[in-house]
Amino acid sequence: MINEKKFVAVIGGWQPTPQEAKLAETVGRELARRGAILVCGGLGGVMEAACLGASSEGGITIGILPGDNRQAANPYVQIPIVTGLGFARNIIVVKSAQAVIAIGGSYGTLSEISHALQSGIPVIGLNTWSLSRGGQQDNSIILAQSPAEAVNKALSLITN
Amino acid sequence: MINEKKFVAVIGGWQPTPQEAKLAETVGRELARRGAILVCGGLGGVMEAACLGASSEGGITIGILPGDNRQAANPYVQIPIVTGLGFARNIIVVKSAQAVIAIGGSYGTLSEISHALQSGIPVIGLNTWSLSRGGQQDNSIILAQSPAEAVNKALSLITN
Amino acid sequence: MINEKKFVAVIGGWQPTPQEAKLAETVGRELARRGAILVCGGLGGVMEAACLGASSEGGITIGILPGDNRQAANPYVQIPIVTGLGFARNIIVVKSAQAVIAIGGSYGTLSEISHALQSGIPVIGLNTWSLSRGGQQDNSIILAQSPAEAVNKALSLITN
Amino acid sequence: MINEKKFVAVIGGWQPTPQEAKLAETVGRELARRGAILVCGGLGGVMEAACLGASSEGGITIGILPGDNRQAANPYVQIPIVTGLGFARNIIVVKSAQAVIAIGGSYGTLSEISHALQSGIPVIGLNTWSLSRGGQQDNSIILAQSPAEAVNKALSLITN
């Protein structure tokens, strides 16, 4: 059954650097090879690159869209979810995943990282935000040095 | 590509009559046979019966869950979407579909019918609510007499 | 303390008939005279007429806005709540009230009526939707013949 | 009119240190003295301390609640907004304000900071998160050393 598959969100900005886009595509490809289902925000940039990668390996891609228009999904989204909730859809992206891989990203990505950590969903970071509080580094974001390492860590942390 | 497939929501209560459950299962089965993807609220009753029907024909089922727990999905949901939004997830159920089939149901179902009509998404009704305003019947809910007719009408009304 | 005051939502369309607008203004005025706080969707039509009425009697008005712009509130909203959630804000309008008065309205109003009934919040109707299911009239919407009667019924049904 | 008043959100955790609670109370008091309306998440900890401070100076307090129960609001909330949206209400807290003051806090607070920065709403920080990206400090959170300075900066940054 498909629902024994693992669901992993890939989050990041819609204006990635070429390097970030490449990371996202490789993460998407690797997730599909490993049989995981990709969840993302459904739009361009990191989201599209990850969906492209997953699709190229026959993987399933879910896009949780902020607007009212399913046509706004990037062309590699197979399952568009139309929320009409604006940025509040960010919380659904992470809650629908069992682990999150963050690649670069701006404040929207940071909100997704925050919501994931708040919900106890593991977050793996590739060139993304780092956090500190009261002068103390917060190490909740699990660092990875490569797409393969990010996917390995994400999948190994899914237990439920 | 999967996203050329048609997405149809099946809505209805979690305490259906046996007849309503049977209608829902047949609708789910027929949607799967016709290659459509089933969207629902992911829980029991009409939602579960429709997912059971679709699954039995190899169809794809999406459950937009109100709570925070993916395990709350009925066993026939293949793609659980975890919103944590409570009943506000109702609006996502209908917006993620291109047509809606309503079977029986209570006020939650009525809210979904309303949101669909508000968004211009066609609603097909099987033994469900009927509406009037100022003493005038509102005929926006398209009546069907059988699951096959409901599915036919739903699929034929999807143009985008 | 203000929070011992009663919160009543006034719901209805943004394109009311002149008679509906007049009803809404009178309801708003009467709610303010009785010391209740008005909750609404914050935009024009019935919402604006009700806020105008309440403001003219020194009442407090809350507008739960669908968009991202507080300036979209009608000029009689004193407390704009900015949700960015689109029509999903409808559910917040009714949940934030202890009773709901529906005046005319279209499918958005019907969604609010549905969400209120689903949550056990009493709904008083003035020239609004009527519902039936399986050929049986549903009498959950409490009918009123005048603004004063609607306000009386709404306030008397608030117990929590 | 009340809606010429300024709306400022105070965000922070529900388990503050005694020092953070004291900061929040002083911020609330100072906002009320300056005629601003306090917006918060409506629950305990920093939220309650800020509402207590504002109430003690006759200020108006708005609590955007995550659950379905208005009684969950802290006793100093005058305007409870009942969302039923869980943590997705965080985004409404910040969008309903024209400036945000963050005091301490955990991942929920970080999500609010992120949503505010994403929406272009200024964030003033008192002993809260600090952010960096790609080894570069992000200075979007405006630092303050005292409640008075935080309130001054928040009010001076509201232009709309």
Side-chain angles (χ1 to χ4, degrees), chain C residues 16-53:
Chain C
T17 65
Q19 185 214 10
E20 289 166 350
K22 181 77 181 152
L23 288 171
E25 186 182 335
T26 309
V27 164
R29 186 173 288 132
E30 190 65 17
L31 284 170
R33 279 185 193 138
R34 304 280 294 270
I37 293 179
L38 172 66
V39 183
C40 73
L43 301 179
V46 158
M47 300 170 262
E48 181 164 351
C51 288
L52 166 60

Side-chain angles (χ1 to χ4, degrees), chain B residues 10-18 20-21 24 41-50 66 72 74 87 89-90 103-109 112, chain C residues 118 133:
Chain B
V10 177
I11 62 174
W14 55 280
Q15 293 184 306
T17 65
E20 289 166 349
L43 302 180
V46 158
M47 299 170 264
E48 181 164 349
N74 75 60
F87 292 133
R89 74 73 152 89
N90 291 9
I103 300 169
S106 185
Y107 301 117
T109 302
E112 292 171 315
Chain C
Q118 187 180 26
R133 202 169 19 165

Side-chain angles (χ1 to χ4, degrees), chain B residues 121-142:
Chain B
I121 299 167
V123 177
I124 323 298
L126 278 166
N127 293 354
T128 192
W129 289 94
S130 73
L131 310 173
S132 63
R133 203 169 18 164
Q136 294 273 351
Q137 182 78 17
D138 176 297
N139 295 313
S140 300
I141 301 174
I142 298 159

Side-chain angles (χ1 to χ4, degrees), chain A:
Chain A
M1 275 194 24
I2 294 181
N3 65 358
E4 291 170 5
K5 296 207 173 185
K6 294 181 172 176
F7 288 72
V8 177
V10 178
I11 62 175
W14 55 281
Q15 293 184 305
T17 64
Q19 185 215 10
E20 288 165 350
K22 181 76 181 155
L23 289 171
E25 186 182 335
T26 310
V27 164
R29 186 172 288 133
E30 189 66 16
L31 285 170
R33 279 185 194 139
R34 303 280 294 269
I37 293 180
L38 172 66
V39 183
C40 72
L43 301 180
V46 158
M47 300 169 262
E48 181 165 349
C51 288
L52 166 59
S55 288
S56 72
E57 296 285 336
I60 294 177
T61 58
I62 301 171
I64 317 277
L65 296 164
D68 286 323
N69 181 4
R70 63 198 306 113
Q71 307 297 345
N74 75 60
Y76 310 104
V77 168
Q78 294 158 0
I79 309 277
I81 303 295
V82 183
T83 71
L85 299 176
F87 291 133
R89 75 77 152 84
N90 291 7
I91 201 167
I92 305 177
V93 172
V94 296
K95 277 180 184 285
S96 296
Q98 295 160 294
V100 173
I101 298 174
I103 301 170
S106 184
Y107 300 116
T109 302
L110 183 59
S111 77
E112 293 171 316
I113 291 171
S114 311
H115 285 301
L117 294 175
Q118 187 179 27
S119 297
I121 299 167
V123 177
I124 322 299
L126 277 166
N127 292 356
T128 191
W129 290 94
S130 73
L131 311 173
S132 62
R133 203 169 18 165
Q136 293 273 351
Q137 182 77 18
D138 176 296
N139 295 312
S140 300
I141 301 175
I142 298 159
L143 301 183
Q145 303 305 324
S146 70
E149 186 189 350
V151 170
N152 274 343
K153 287 187 168 175
L155 295 179
S156 69
L157 286 164
I158 297 174
T159 53
N160 61 327

